[in-house]
Amino acid sequence: MPTDTTASTGQQPGKSGRRKGRKARLIVLVLVLTLIGGVAYGSYWSISTVRASFPQTKGSLTLKGLSGPVEVKRDDYGIPQIYASSDADLFMAQGYVQAQDRFYEMDVRRHMASGRLSEMFGKSQVDNDEFLRTLGWDRVAQREYETKLSATTKKYLQAYAKGVNSYLQGKDGEDISLEYAALGFTNDYKPQSWTPVDSISWLKAMAWDLRGNMQDEIDRALLTSRLGPKEIADLYPRYPYSRNKAIVQEGQYNELTEAFEQGGTSGTGGTSGTGGTAGTNGTGGTGTGTGTGSGGTGTGTGGTGTGTGGTGTGTGGAASGTAGLDSQLGGLTRVLDDLPPAVGVNGDGIGSNSWVVGGKHTITGKPLLANDPHLSPSLPSVWYQMGLHCRSVSSACQYDVSGYTFAGMPGVIIGHNQDIAWGMTNSGVDVTDLYLEKITGDGYLYDGKIKPFTTREETIKVAGGSPKKIVVRETNNGPLLSDRDEELVKVGKKATVDTAAPDRGDGYGVALRWTALQPGTTMDAVFAMDKARNWTDFRKAAAQFEVPSQNLVYADNENHIGYTLPGKIPTRAKKDDGSVPAPGWDPAYRWTGYIPQDALPYEFDPERGYIVTANQAVIDPDEYPYTLTADWGYGARSQRITDLIQSKIKDGGKISTDDMRQMQLDNSSEIARLLVPTLLKIDPENKDVREAQKLLEGWDYTQDADSAAAAYFNAVWRNVLKLAFGNKLPKELRPRGQCLWVEPVNTTGPADEAGKVRECGQRDPDRAQPDGGDRWFEVVRGLMDQPDSDWWKTPKVSSGRPGAVDRDQLFKRAMIDARWELTAKLGKDIDSWSWGRLHRLFLKNQTLGTAGPGFVQYALNRGPWELGGGEATVNATGWNAAGGYGVVWVPSMRMVVNLGDLDKSKWINLTGASGHAYSAHYVDQTDKWADGELLPWAFSDQAVEKGTADKLVLKP
């Protein structure tokens, strides 16, 4: 049976000492708990106390409320498969079992989603709670439960909550999880009963982390303090549709039926730019122009937007050029930095891979479907693997499904049933807009009139402190986020605004409009997808998946494959593409409606025989009338996956399950392929730099963990970005602690031309720019043929390292800086260098593991693991080039579903099934995950029974 095998805490992951390390952690923890517990409470802790919360997995238990017996079969990794005879019993047992393994995680999640973290962790979380209460996720979830969800879904949610509460009954905190014992030293928090709304609220938290381009919207506005419209446009190039293919390549939008239809290839470019609800600027052109709203001239950068045929936005009325807005949005960015991530990296950089290959290209003759969502690393993993099986599928018990779900939610989010399989990637469509609001007294300006705020009072309870009351104000666009940070409401006294804008008075507010702040039906969709039998059922179910909008990839055992884009996606006025903050006082910038579900793009059994989604553009804007977003991922991963598939199937080749796994592990660097030939032509002069340069000779651009060439190249890439772009960005985008002497804001020269003001970066290093993702690949690709561009200019430094006036000189400087950076980090001997020594993964408990006492962090956290892969590679172990080399997001799970024989499917999780720090299943999958292995995924009754290690019977 697998053990709690963790990497050592040293530089190199150890093996022989892992069991010893786990025991040492346990002994240290018990000693500390004994000391503290003895002093504080006159009692003593023991190892048996620490293990008291481990779940019972064998024998039998009585669960009141069941209508019949339920079996819980766990394999060697503690992954549960539940067997019941009714839907209600199935979901009640699911709630019980997830609470056994993960209740502390569930409890933290619901407190985050409802803005009640201070109840658990005290005054340190008050600011976060204020922001989360302003968003009001739990209030929306309550309305969703009361007004939107079907009676059947409510029944399942109630059954799940009943199961969770059955587990909690009669238990104190320390009986549930070790973390509650630690919390008990500082406050008297006691876990409360679970409710159906707690499960729904988590969907809102998930949607927040997958919300789309809100950060790009902020960044474009902040960039105007240092850069002009053309320079900003350089940093948001157009999506390379001819090189990196969109997801949907077949089918077309029919103007007569106003629906997207299959049959033939898309070719309706003449319908782009139809205005009205399409929210476009017409076909072709850049769409630049000056706006009529506050704050000066629009940037016209637009990014990679669809529906515009170019890069422009023409939304200049968004006040993006003012110092006042810089202060507001900079403050908002700091609030977002502090907000705990739910599943992602606060909306930045996250992505996923999911692709499906039809039977004509596979060894089995049936489809193969792969998925690996890229999210923040967390301990335990955000995903929970399980199977939900009706002993006999009928109207009384409708489910036979297995896959990944979230602890705290019934059903399965990603996986397969007996007929179909599905995967998800974040679509990235634009479902959020920031609006500037002219605040006057107790109201705000709209259409020339003062309208009263919608207000409510919220009371935040604080563990160990006094409660705090706040007032939440909302405009007709949404909640005022600026009320949650005083810097958001301060407008610079000398800020210039457009003459058509209202007087700034005491400053503009910032409001958020977001589709997830309206009640929806996503929970209905989860249950409907879990029991879908075919493409028609699946599409009908997917239509209810309103937020977050996801790319859904499909396969079935009848040899069909498909893709569909569901979601509640807004349409905007012709002059607004959502790429920059908009003037809330102008009715012309209101949303005009939502794209009809029948009009959203999809594919079914495309002629090419495969479908790839990896956060690239959904469809070419010249072939679709609606604007989906101005900010796609740029398609580096998706095109690499496409190339790998094509290389396997050329000349009639067939793809296997293991081929799909190996594709998931592809470490090839597209940016290295572009830059290395040029780097090798440069004469670095210095022998030590030349020695490092030779590492790149003959390198195959693969970023394996043991590769010295990958280490050096990525260091060069990081320094190229810093010299060419990072040092020229405003402080709000640069990493916290990086200080530069720059010209005052609102000057026209680059930030590094002359030093007059010392400015220090303000953004969390994991979210700073330039992050080195595939947008920056495209930025640099576009400048490679402009060797004399001003972007390549950088000054010399006092240490004597040379400046640069062109591309090759800057590359030479980056090679020098990289050599000495790695010498400092890894040593002078390049034979000792490896990418994995720089690129390490630490798994941290997301509460006490990040902010608790040192001994508690030692007890709860694990790592490091030295990883291959990298930013914008298929094996997307992401790192932020502005902040360092450490891993900041990962393939949070990997799966390959074999529709020819479901028992030959494979899966893996980032950590283990258990959230208990000393369980054998805490991180028992992590070593295999890091090595690129997948576990067997039993589905049939016979296969599950064969792999069962523990069996628990829940009796009525």
Side-chain angles (χ1 to χ4, degrees):
M1 181 178 293
T3 61
D4 177 14
T5 53
T6 73
S8 67
T9 56
Q11 181 84 329
Q12 303 271 0
K15 291 189 177 180
S16 61
R18 287 176 184 168
R19 185 183 296 272
K20 187 181 297 183
R22 179 169 68 123
K23 184 176 180 181
R25 277 195 179 92
L26 184 54
I27 292 171
V28 168
L29 180 65
V30 170
L31 289 173
V32 175
L33 291 177
T34 299
L35 176 63
I36 297 177
V39 171
Y41 302 101
S43 60
Y44 291 89
W45 299 80
S46 66
I47 290 178
S48 61
T49 303
V50 173
R51 289 174 171 164
S53 59
F54 288 8
Q56 179 180 339
T57 60
K58 296 180 179 180
S60 63
L61 287 170
T62 298
L63 219 59
K64 292 182 179 179
L66 289 176
S67 63
V70 176
E71 292 179 301
V72 182
K73 302 178 180 181
R74 293 178 183 259
D75 66 9
D76 285 341
Y77 289 85
I79 300 169
Q81 304 285 338
I82 301 176
Y83 289 83
S85 298
S86 73
D87 291 339
D89 284 357
L90 191 65
F91 294 119
M92 182 177 177
Q94 183 183 16
Y96 185 89
V97 171
Q98 287 191 343
Q100 279 187 306
D101 285 334
R102 299 277 193 97
F103 183 76
Y104 177 76
E105 174 195 7
M106 294 162 58
D107 201 14
V108 171
R109 283 181 174 180
R110 66 167 165 175
H111 278 77
M112 184 184 75
S114 59
R116 295 166 46 221
L117 289 168
S118 300
E119 294 178 16
M120 295 184 74
F121 305 109
K123 63 182 181 180
S124 67
Q125 296 300 313
V126 169
D127 289 346
N128 284 332
D129 282 349
E130 289 185 14
F131 188 82
L132 293 164
R133 292 286 184 96
T134 300
L135 290 171
W137 295 339
D138 61 331
R139 297 172 61 85
V140 180
Q142 184 68 46
R143 297 196 339 255
E144 201 164 286
Y145 181 75
E146 293 172 351
T147 66
K148 286 286 188 178
L149 298 181
S150 70
T152 300
T153 293
K154 291 180 183 179
K155 175 184 173 183
Y156 296 162
L157 288 165
Q158 292 162 2
Y160 181 89
K162 185 186 293 185
V164 176
N165 293 329
S166 294
Y167 170 75
L168 295 177
Q169 188 173 6
K171 289 183 173 66
D172 294 326
E174 59 266 25
D175 299 323
I176 299 170
S177 181
L178 176 65
E179 289 91 338
Y180 290 116
L183 282 178
F185 300 141
T186 58
N187 66 61
D188 58 356
Y189 172 79
K190 303 294 182 186
Q192 302 299 307
S193 297
W194 192 265
T195 73
V197 173
D198 292 333
S199 296
I200 303 168
S201 295
W202 182 242
L203 284 172
K204 303 302 176 185
M206 180 177 72
W208 175 254
D209 278 0
L210 304 176
R211 64 191 177 272
N213 78 332
M214 181 172 150
Q215 193 63 59
D216 288 306
E217 198 171 327
I218 293 171
D219 287 356
R220 283 194 186 91
L222 292 172
L223 285 169
T224 60
S225 68
R226 288 288 177 195
L227 305 176
K230 183 183 182 303
E231 292 169 308
I232 297 174
D234 286 344
L235 302 186
Y236 287 89
R238 190 176 190 269
Y239 184 94
Y241 288 97
S242 61
R243 180 170 14 94
N244 296 344
K245 299 299 183 184
I247 297 171
V248 174
Q249 300 170 38
E250 300 178 21
Q252 60 188 352
Y253 179 79
N254 188 318
E255 285 187 308
L256 295 177
T257 62
E258 297 183 335
F260 196 87
E261 299 174 351
Q262 289 292 287
T265 58
S266 301
T268 58
T271 65
S272 297
T274 57
T277 61
T280 69
N281 280 336
T283 60
T286 61
T288 58
T290 58
T292 59
S294 69
T297 302
T299 65
T301 60
T304 61
T306 67
T308 63
T311 60
T313 68
T315 59
S320 59
T322 73
L325 183 62
D326 294 344
S327 177
Q328 292 172 311
L329 297 180
L332 176 57
T333 296
R334 285 187 286 280
V335 172
L336 298 179
D337 274 345
D338 292 336
L339 195 64
V343 298
V345 196
N346 283 333
D348 295 332
I350 52 180
S352 303
N353 303 321
S354 187
W355 68 95
V356 61
V357 180
K360 70 179 181 180
H361 296 311
T362 68
I363 288 175
T364 65
K366 291 292 180 72
L368 295 171
L369 186 149
N371 196 188
D372 54 292
H374 308 155
L375 304 171
S376 288
S378 62
L379 184 59
S381 166
V382 69
W383 297 108
Y384 185 87
Q385 298 155 283
M386 71 186 322
L388 302 172
H389 308 278
C390 290
R391 293 189 177 96
S392 177
V393 176
S394 66
S395 59
C397 197
Q398 305 174 71
Y399 294 90
D400 189 14
V401 62
S402 183
Y404 297 83
T405 188
F406 298 124
M409 276 181 57
V412 167
I413 305 298
I414 295 173
H416 70 82
N417 59 33
Q418 68 270 43
D419 298 308
I420 73 167
W422 65 97
M424 295 185 186
T425 65
N426 195 31
S427 70
V429 297
D430 189 358
V431 295
T432 60
D433 276 335
L434 293 174
Y435 285 89
L436 301 182
E437 305 285 4
K438 167 59 181 173
I439 298 173
T440 304
D442 294 327
Y444 60 96
L445 181 67
Y446 179 72
D447 198 17
K449 300 176 182 178
I450 302 299
K451 299 188 68 172
F453 291 113
T454 299
T455 63
R456 66 178 187 272
E457 187 177 270
E458 298 269 359
T459 301
I460 298 172
K461 298 178 182 179
V462 182
S466 301
K468 181 176 182 179
K469 292 186 177 181
I470 64 170
V471 175
V472 176
R473 300 189 295 176
E474 296 185 3
T475 73
N476 58 355
N477 289 310
L480 274 178
L481 303 187
S482 51
D483 280 353
R484 300 284 71 89
D485 189 292
E486 63 179 16
E487 191 171 11
L488 298 180
V489 297
K490 293 179 181 178
V491 177
K493 296 296 183 181
K494 298 180 180 180
T496 58
V497 294
D498 211 29
T499 56
D503 181 74
R504 63 178 174 260
D506 292 330
Y508 299 124
V510 179
L512 171 68
R513 187 161 190 188
W514 177 33
T515 54
L517 297 182
Q518 304 168 32
T521 57
T522 300
M523 202 69 241
D524 284 339
V526 171
F527 293 116
M529 286 193 297
D530 282 356
K531 63 180 181 180
R533 296 290 175 259
N534 51 47
W535 173 245
T536 301
D537 287 351
F538 185 76
R539 282 263 291 166
K540 183 178 179 181
Q544 300 178 81
F545 206 102
E546 294 185 340
V547 292
S549 177
Q550 298 288 288
N551 295 313
L552 298 182
V553 176
Y554 168 93
D556 66 35
N557 56 16
E558 295 296 324
N559 228 345
H560 299 296
I561 64 173
Y563 160 83
T564 190
L565 173 70
K568 196 169 188 178
I569 304 170
T571 56
R572 297 171 174 84
K574 184 176 180 179
K575 60 182 177 181
D576 178 20
D577 72 353
S579 63
V580 291
W585 51 81
D586 188 345
Y589 288 87
R590 293 278 291 171
W591 289 357
T592 58
Y594 299 92
I595 301 176
Q597 288 295 310
D598 287 346
L600 291 171
Y602 72 95
E603 277 193 339
F604 184 65
D605 288 341
E607 180 65 28
R608 63 188 179 278
Y610 60 86
I611 301 169
V612 176
T613 73
N615 316 111
Q616 79 270 38
V618 168
I619 191 168
D620 191 317
D622 292 336
E623 300 170 356
Y624 190 66
Y626 293 102
T627 298
L628 295 173
T629 185
D631 296 288
W632 300 115
Y634 282 76
R637 283 180 289 109
S638 62
Q639 193 56 45
R640 176 62 178 171
I641 295 167
T642 297
D643 292 344
L644 291 170
I645 292 172
Q646 290 178 342
S647 70
K648 292 294 294 187
I649 66 176
K650 68 179 179 180
D651 301 323
K654 303 294 184 180
I655 292 176
S656 68
T657 301
D658 197 61
D659 290 332
M660 300 284 274
R661 178 190 68 85
Q662 291 185 46
M663 291 179 194
Q664 290 179 322
L665 304 178
D666 183 79
N667 288 332
S668 179
S669 170
E670 180 186 335
I671 192 62
R673 197 176 302 275
L674 175 68
L675 296 188
V676 166
T678 302
L679 295 175
L680 289 175
K681 295 177 182 177
I682 292 171
D683 182 4
E685 298 171 2
N686 180 282
K687 66 179 182 63
D688 292 312
V689 179
R690 187 179 300 112
E691 181 186 35
Q693 181 190 40
K694 288 182 178 180
L695 292 171
L696 304 179
E697 295 177 0
W699 179 44
D700 63 359
Y701 315 122
T702 298
Q703 301 169 98
D704 293 333
D706 61 358
S707 171
Y712 182 59
F713 172 78
N714 283 320
V716 173
W717 171 235
R718 179 175 186 243
N719 281 279
V720 165
L721 292 170
K722 179 181 178 181
L723 295 168
F725 310 104
N727 292 348
K728 301 177 175 73
L729 300 180
K731 63 182 182 294
E732 292 86 358
L733 275 70
R734 297 202 313 269
R736 190 178 297 124
Q738 183 200 68
C739 298
L740 301 171
W741 289 96
V742 299
E743 290 186 352
V745 295
N746 294 327
T747 59
T748 57
D752 59 0
E753 279 188 357
K756 295 182 180 179
V757 177
R758 190 171 187 264
E759 287 186 349
C760 296
Q762 297 178 348
R763 187 164 289 182
D764 184 271
D766 289 349
R767 299 179 63 244
Q769 294 293 341
D771 61 18
D774 61 357
R775 173 164 69 90
W776 293 98
F777 290 10
E778 291 303 312
V779 170
V780 172
R781 187 189 300 275
L783 292 171
M784 287 296 287
D785 293 332
Q786 303 175 50
D788 297 320
S789 168
D790 285 344
W791 288 112
W792 300 124
K793 293 178 172 57
T794 192
K796 65 180 180 180
V797 292
S798 56
S799 63
R801 295 183 191 174
V805 296
D806 60 28
R807 182 197 66 195
D808 289 356
Q809 288 183 12
L810 185 137
F811 281 8
K812 180 178 179 179
R813 164 73 179 276
M815 293 169 71
I816 295 170
D817 289 356
R819 176 42 158 126
W820 300 120
E821 181 185 3
L822 294 198
T823 297
K825 290 181 180 295
L826 303 179
K828 187 173 182 180
D829 181 5
I830 65 172
D831 290 336
S832 69
W833 291 2
S834 70
W835 175 225
R837 288 181 61 196
L838 292 172
H839 193 53
R840 300 190 299 166
L841 169 67
F842 291 85
L843 291 176
K844 296 182 179 181
N845 178 287
Q846 293 301 289
T847 54
L848 300 179
T850 58
F855 77 88
V856 175
Q857 293 189 39
Y858 176 80
L860 298 178
N861 298 339
R862 300 291 184 270
W865 284 264
E866 298 184 356
L867 301 182
E871 180 66 25
T873 63
V874 179
N875 184 19
T877 56
W879 57 288
N880 186 303
Y885 302 99
V887 177
V888 296
W889 58 85
V890 294
S892 55
M893 61 81 157
R894 296 186 184 103
M895 75 175 195
V896 179
V897 181
N898 183 332
L899 274 299
D901 184 346
L902 292 171
D903 287 332
K904 292 183 179 178
S905 301
K906 304 286 186 179
W907 63 351
I908 197 79
N909 206 350
L910 172 64
T911 63
S914 179
H916 299 287
Y918 293 97
S919 165
H921 306 306
Y922 192 46
V923 288
D924 58 341
Q925 297 185 52
T926 308
D927 284 345
K928 290 183 179 296
W929 173 92
D931 291 339
E933 298 181 39
L934 298 177
L935 301 176
W937 183 356
F939 180 71
S940 69
D941 293 349
Q942 297 85 350
V944 170
E945 183 64 30
K946 183 178 180 181
T948 295
D950 293 340
K951 183 185 296 185
L952 176 68
V953 178
L954 304 176
K955 298 180 177 179

